[in-house]
């Protein structure tokens, strides 16, 4: 396993077997619906009353998997959508790869879920056909009912018991996408009513009998440890029970969150830290290191043609440096986990994108076998990659073990969440374009320097796939350029790094698409015309061993430009900018932004997005993801994390501002109809948004912003 | 510690806790009403919004001592039977992504509509601009408020 791509393949490689009978645990409570009698596989079960219980094998963090994935099963099974209930998968033998990330939830599970639904449907039909003495192909299904010849009908509930005795078909017949009745229809999220009524759905809402609360005092400098402290001040706070040491710091255990936080504040006043080796780390020095790294050797991510000689021989070379800062994930629900360690095992309740790894690591931390560690996955109050980390779940189990019997909820406040994030790394980009005598790009070089997220993910190991992973979005540049030199120069950073919504593709596409805009303006070409020229009339091409359909990318670019009225006359002070990208070589995205800059104030008025992600499962969900992706992209133009003396300067939303309602642009979404396999939509709308806006700023003002975040002085 | 009396969702409650404890934690930890969310703890994000009397307030900024003797309504008590028209509009516009910020948004939206039955976009932004939705559901929040206004939500 060497790159992020490999992780994603594995995450999608094996779902549960189709023949496995999942026992949905729990005794029937009085008044509760009867136990399912038909559970042909791990993904679905049908009760005698005809209601269906569908298991969701991915974590819900707002991207809509708890609606889209059940839709897939319901489609092939012809369920009555109004009678669907959800069950969240837990790690275990049936579910070895619940990891949620990389916008892969749909692409990796959709065939598995279709087969699961189709197999169950065939068994229900076989049961009905048998009881009626007719052939299965004389029957059809709709909304949880089998219809047979002569007006005979039977509901799935009535058939459930007999269906359970049917053999499980090995190769169930799947519907043709043209016949879909549930998929492709705008569908509201199933959890909507529970969310708007404030039901306990999130990790922080977990309340177990006898539950206590904890706040951990961690050294603000990563790698620092407490040298001396006086627990008596904390213990004097009413409601505080104990102070215990854990590997991440000192945990204050209390009867409520507030006493835990108050106790921690009292404890903080007494602690002396050994700040460790990173106490001098700061953003300025790091930037200088990155700049020198750009002069030195770099790991190649992709080479094509002979870039160095082509650049040397070029009639003209354009060159620029782009900078992207550290970023914090800041999901609205701060990190947290609830944990309990008993003599016979342990339990975690947490919103995690990575339940299997959380299970293995938490178990190891307290010396248990993974199967003794139950992991309940709650809804995630935002994930954005942060909850792929296992630091917060492992810490919670360590606190629970140190604190003794009973469940403990470890609550991070916002400053914990920001200071101890697994940061999206800062990067510096050096780009060069060698132009021939006609102003055509003969060679393109994009070198990136910064910390490697993959190394942090692999707990310090450098893998051969590192450059490819860190230069994602740069090496798969879709344009037809004869010579390419794309490389990554690693600079070690002492803080933990993690993938952020749309990962390294955000900074890499920002630099690439802005610099391409510079080339357009320098050669007197329209930015749209230049991109269309460089995409050319190509169809499928291989980029880094993967198929990319350039025609699909071209189509979304043309669509976005057309819908946005590219080239139209704009009010004074306004500008249009665009960008396009084939995200992870699978989701084709283009965006056109309209901005204005007046009195130094940037306003993003509108973003027109065009997307081709193959078959669209839920258009309602897709639109929401584009709106959210644009919000994330615009937000990223203004936020940054900086380090001084080994610690973040920012610790709440006053110093780490994120997008708010008045600055949210209007978003228009256009989708290309497609019968290609579905890809993902959680991340692809993000990366193109930044360069589209910045290119629009240039169009409006003539100012080329190459450094993020945008500071007030930049537009003054 | 002294016991404080307050009314929560129409029910008289007595709470024994440090008078400085923010109402947010009283609701979540002492009264088991976890629909009111913790996002920043310092009045910047609006996740913890509840009604105190007829005003929308940040529960993380109201100490127990100031909540005592007042009537508090949380997301759980907004519509004791069924759904409030604003909640219905939220479902119909499919506003929620992760959903975490939404109880606070809804509490502010209902207070806004009580003051301005037909708010303009600017009036909506003035109120919702004090909240954060990291998932970016802002366009739908605005649409849902307009929808609720049309339906005569109060
Ligand atoms: S938690 Fe109260 S405003 Fe953020
Ligand atoms: S819906 Fe996720 S924070 Fe608003």
């Amino acid at each position: 396993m060497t790159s992020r791509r490999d992780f994603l393949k594995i995450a999608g490689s094996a779902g549960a077997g189709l023949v496995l009978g999942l026992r949905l645990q729990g005794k029937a409570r009085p008044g509760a619906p009867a136990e399912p009698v038909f559970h042909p596989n791990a993904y679905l079960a049908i009760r005698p009353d005809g209601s269906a219980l569908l298991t969701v094998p991915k974590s819900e963090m707002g991207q809509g998997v708890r609606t889209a994935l059940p839709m897939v099963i319901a489609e092939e099974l012809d369920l009555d959508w109004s009678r669907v209930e959800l069950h969240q998968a837990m790690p275990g033998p049936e579910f070895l790869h619940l990891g949620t990330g990389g916008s892969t939830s749909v692409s990796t599970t959709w065939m598995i879920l279709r087969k699961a639904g189709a197999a169950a449907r065939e068994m229900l039909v076989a049961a009905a056909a048998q009881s009626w003495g007719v052939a299965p192909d004389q029957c059809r299904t709709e909304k949880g009912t089998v219809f047979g010849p002569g007006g005979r009908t039977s509901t799935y509930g009535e058939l459930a018991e007999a269906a359970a005795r049917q053999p499980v078909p090995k190769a169930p017949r799947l519907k043709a996408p043209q016949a879909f009745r549930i998929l492709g229809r705008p569908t509201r999220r199933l959890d909507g009513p529970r969310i708007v009524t404030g039901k306990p759905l999130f990790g922080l809402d977990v309340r177990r009998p006898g539950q206590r609360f904890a706040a951990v005092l961690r050294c603000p400098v990563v790698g620092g440890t407490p040298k001396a402290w006086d627990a008596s001040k904390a213990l004097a706070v009413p409601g505080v029970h104990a102070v215990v040491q854990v590997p991440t710091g000192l945990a204050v255990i209390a009867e409520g969150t507030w006493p835990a936080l108050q106790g921690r504040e009292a404890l903080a006043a007494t602690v002396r830290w050994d700040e460790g080796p990173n106490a001098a780390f700061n953003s300025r020095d790091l930037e200088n290191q990155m700049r020198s790294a750009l002069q030195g050797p770099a790991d190649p991510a992709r080479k094509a043609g002979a870039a160095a000689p082509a650049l040397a021989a070029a009639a003209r070379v354009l060159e620029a440096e782009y900078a992207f800062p550290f970023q914090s994930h800041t999901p609205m629900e701060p990190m947290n986990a609830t944990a309990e360690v008993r003599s016979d095992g342990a339990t975690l309740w947490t919103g995690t994108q990575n339940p299997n790894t959380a299970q293995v690591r938490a178990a190891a931390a307290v010396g248990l076998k993974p199967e003794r560690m139950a992991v309940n996955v709650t809804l995630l109050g935002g994930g954005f990659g942060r909850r792929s980390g296992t630091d917060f779940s492992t810490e919670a189990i360590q606190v629970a073990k140190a604190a003794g019997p009973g469940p403990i909820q470890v609550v991070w406040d916002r400053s914990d969440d920001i200071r101890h994030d697994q940061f999206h790394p800062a990067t510096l980009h050096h780009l060069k374009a060698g132009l021939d005598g006609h102003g055509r790009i003969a060679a393109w070089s994009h070198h990136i320097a910064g910390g490697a997220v993959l190394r942090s993910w692999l707990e310090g190991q450098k893998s051969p796939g590192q450059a490819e992973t860190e230069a994602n979005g740069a090496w798969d540049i879709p344009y037809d350029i004869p010579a390419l030199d794309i490389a990554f120069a690693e600079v070690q950073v002492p803080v933990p790094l993690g993938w952020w919504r749309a990962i390294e593709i955000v900074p890499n596409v920002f630099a690439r698409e802005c610099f391409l805009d510079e080339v357009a303006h320098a050669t007197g070409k329209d930015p749209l015309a230049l991109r269309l020229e460089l995409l050319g009339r190509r169809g499928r091409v291989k980029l880094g061993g993967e198929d990319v359909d350039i025609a699909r990318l071209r189509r979304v670019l043309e669509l976005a430009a057309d819908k946005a009225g590219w080239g139209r006359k704009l009010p004074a002070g306004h500008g249009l900018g665009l960008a396009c990208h084939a995200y992870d070589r699978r989701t084709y995205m283009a965006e056109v932004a309209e901005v204005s800059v007046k009195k130094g104030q940037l306003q993003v008025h509108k973003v027109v997005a065009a997307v081709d992600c193959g078959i669209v499962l839920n258009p309602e969900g897709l639109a929401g993801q584009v709106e959210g992706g644009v919000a994330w992209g615009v937000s990223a133009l203004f936020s940054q994390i900086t380090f001084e003396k080994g610690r973040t300067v920012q610790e709440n939303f006053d110093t780490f501002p994120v997008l708010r309602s008045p600055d949210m642009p209007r978003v228009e979404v256009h989708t290309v109809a497609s019968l290609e396999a579905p890809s993902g939509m959680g991340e692809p709308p993000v990366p193109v948004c930044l360069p589209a806006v910045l290119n629009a700023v240039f169009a409006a003002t003539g100012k080329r912003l190459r450094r993020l975040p945008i500071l007030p002085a930049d537009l003054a | 510690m002294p016991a404080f009396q307050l009314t929560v969702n129409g029910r008289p409650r007595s709470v024994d806790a440090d008078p400085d404890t923010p109402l947010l934690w009283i609701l979540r930890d002492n009264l088991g009403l976890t629909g009111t969310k913790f996002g920043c703890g310092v009045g910047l994000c609006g996740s913890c919004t509840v009604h105190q009397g007829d005003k929308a307030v940040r529960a993380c900024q109201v100490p127990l001592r100031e909540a005592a003797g007042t009537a508090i309504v949380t997301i759980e008590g907004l519509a004791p039977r069924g759904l409030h028209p604003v909640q219905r509009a939220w479902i119909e516009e499919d506003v929620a992504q992760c959903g975490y910020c939404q109880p606070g948004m809804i509490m502010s939206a209902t207070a806004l509509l009580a003051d301005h039955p037909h708010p303009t976009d600017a009036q909506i932004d003035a109120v919702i601009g004090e909240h954060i939705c990291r998932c970016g559901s802002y366009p739908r929040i605005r649409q849902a408020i307009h929808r609720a206004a049309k339906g005569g939500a109060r």
Side-chain angles (χ1 to χ4, degrees), chain A residues 61-62 188-189 196 198 202 204-205 207 257-258 328-330 332 382 414 620 624 627-628 652 659-661, chain B residues 21-22 28-29 35 37 39-40 42 44 75 87 91-92 94 96-98 100 125 129-130 134-135 138 140:
Chain A
M61 47 186 165
R188 296 181 187 123
R189 74 188 44 219
V196 302
F202 300 94
L204 273 180
D205 301 343
R207 293 290 179 268
T257 312
W258 181 249
S328 174
H329 298 80
T330 56
M332 285 318 294
R414 182 56 62 191
E620 190 78 47
E627 292 156 13
N652 211 319
L659 185 82
R660 290 176 186 258
S661 167
Chain B
T21 311
R28 292 185 53 85
D29 295 353
K37 302 302 187 205
C40 69
V42 294
L44 291 169
I75 189 77
Q87 290 169 317
I91 294 171
E92 279 158 6
D94 204 33
Q97 291 191 25
C98 82
Y100 192 79
D125 273 350
E130 301 290 311
R134 192 65 164 132
C135 298
Y138 303 123
R140 285 163 192 259

Side-chain angles (χ1 to χ4, degrees), chain B residues 24 37-48 58 60:
Chain B
L24 169 65
K37 302 302 187 205
F38 169 53
C40 69
V42 294
L44 291 169
C45 76
S47 304
C48 63
R58 304 289 186 251
C60 72

Side-chain angles (χ1 to χ4, degrees), chain A residues 547-578:
Chain A
D547 275 329
V548 177
D549 191 340
I550 299 297
R552 291 173 75 185
L553 185 57
R554 186 186 174 98
R555 202 171 311 133
V556 294
L557 179 59
E558 286 173 330
L559 181 59
D562 177 46
K563 296 291 182 184
W566 185 258
R568 79 187 137 93
K569 191 158 167 31
L570 295 167
H574 284 235
L576 287 182
L578 53 74

Side-chain angles (χ1 to χ4, degrees), chain A residues 300-561:
Chain A
R302 183 158 164 230
K303 280 199 185 300
L311 281 164
R316 187 177 168 198
V317 176
L318 299 175
E319 189 166 3
E321 181 190 280
Y322 280 80
F324 194 84
F326 282 99
Q327 296 282 7
S328 174
H329 298 80
T330 56
M332 285 318 294
E333 180 192 21
M335 295 303 104
N336 66 87
T338 306
E340 179 178 37
V341 181
R342 300 172 308 273
S343 56
D344 63 335
T347 307
L348 268 172
W349 295 263
T350 190
T352 169
Q353 292 176 241
N354 203 351
N356 303 92
T357 312
Q359 179 190 42
V360 169
R361 292 191 180 158
V366 291
L368 285 171
K369 293 212 172 76
E371 57 270 26
R372 294 255 164 239
M373 178 71 58
V375 179
N376 298 280
V377 181
T378 63
L379 291 201
L380 286 60
F384 314 122
R386 176 62 182 95
R387 287 187 156 93
S388 293
T390 54
D391 53 332
F392 56 94
S393 46
T394 299
E395 179 191 66
I397 210 82
Q398 286 163 335
V399 171
K401 174 142 193 190
I408 295 248
Q409 181 167 96
V410 178
V411 180
W412 296 39
D413 70 7
R414 182 56 62 191
S415 87
D416 298 324
D417 190 75
I418 291 183
R419 284 199 184 286
H420 300 280
D421 199 350
Q422 302 183 332
F423 304 92
H424 172 98
T427 43
L428 218 51
H429 302 248
H430 185 207
L431 294 107
K432 279 190 261 185
L435 309 178
D436 68 15
H438 306 282
R440 286 186 301 239
I441 306 176
W444 177 276
S445 149
H446 184 170
H447 282 216
I448 303 156
V453 182
L454 187 61
R455 185 194 283 274
S456 219
W457 180 258
L458 296 174
E459 300 183 306
Q461 299 304 306
K462 176 173 177 176
S463 94
Q466 183 168 287
E468 176 207 297
T469 301
E470 305 307 326
N472 194 355
W475 66 259
D476 55 353
I477 178 170
Y479 306 116
D480 195 5
I481 297 173
L484 294 173
D485 165 23
I486 318 293
F488 175 70
E490 186 182 7
V491 176
Q492 298 273 353
V493 293
V495 297
L497 303 176
W499 281 305
W500 197 57
R501 187 173 189 175
I503 60 168
E504 295 88 341
I505 300 175
V506 179
N508 296 342
V509 165
F510 143 66
R512 183 193 92 195
E513 289 290 295
C514 285
F515 186 58
L516 185 63
D517 225 60
E518 293 199 52
V519 174
H521 290 285
T523 55
K525 286 182 181 156
D526 172 77
L528 171 64
L530 174 62
R531 284 175 175 82
L532 292 174
E533 178 191 318
L534 289 169
L535 290 172
R537 290 283 165 197
R538 296 174 297 156
R540 270 179 205 282
V541 300
K542 286 259 185 238
L543 294 184
E546 281 182 48
D547 275 329
V548 177
D549 191 340
I550 299 297
R552 291 173 75 185
L553 185 57
R554 186 186 174 98
R555 202 171 311 133
V556 294
L557 179 59
E558 286 173 330
L559 181 59

Side-chain angles (χ1 to χ4, degrees), chain A residues 249-266:
Chain A
L250 303 169
V252 178
I253 318 291
E255 64 184 26
T257 312
W258 181 249
L261 292 170
Q262 291 296 100
R264 181 175 72 165
E265 207 178 304

